[in-house]
Amino acid sequence: MIVLTKLNNALIAVNSDLIQYVEETPDTVITMTNNDKVVVRESMKEIIHKVVHFRRYISQLIESEYERQRDKI
C-alpha cells in the first residue's frame, strides 16, 4: 500500500497492485482496476516513485525471509 494525499488533505492508503493507470489532467487522477477514481495531490512521477519504492521494499522482505528459511536447512 502507498500513502497519498486527497485534495482535501486527507491521507489515503492505496493498494498499488490495483492501480490501472494514472493521469495528470492537471489534477492527478488514479483509476483503479474496478474503474473507481481517486484524485490526489501527488504528481504522477511521485506516485510512480512510491510504487517502485514499495515494491522494492516487499522484494527485500521476501528475499530476507527466503534467506532465513534457507539458513534453517
Side-chain angles (χ1 to χ4, degrees):
M1 306 266 303
I2 59 171
V3 177
L4 301 170
T5 311
K6 294 173 72 173
L7 292 182
N8 65 0
N9 289 324
L11 295 179
I12 184 171
V14 174
N15 183 339
S16 60
D17 292 332
L18 299 180
I19 295 174
Q20 185 172 350
Y21 56 89
V22 179
E23 302 173 274
E24 288 182 339
T25 64
D27 291 330
T28 306
V29 180
I30 301 171
T31 302
M32 308 304 285
T33 56
N34 65 357
N35 287 322
D36 283 353
K37 295 185 185 302
V38 181
V39 182
V40 297
R41 291 191 175 275
E42 289 79 6
S43 68
M44 183 184 316
K45 186 175 180 178
E46 289 173 295
I47 294 169
I48 291 168
H49 175 78
K50 286 181 180 234
V51 170
V52 169
H53 177 75
F54 175 73
R55 290 190 179 176
R56 283 182 182 158
Y57 173 73
I58 296 301
S59 293
Q60 289 172 351
L61 289 177
I62 292 169
E63 187 174 329
S64 295
E65 180 61 19
Y66 172 77
E67 290 173 4
R68 191 175 74 77
Q69 293 295 326
R70 186 188 66 204
D71 292 343
K72 283 181 161 180
I73 298 174

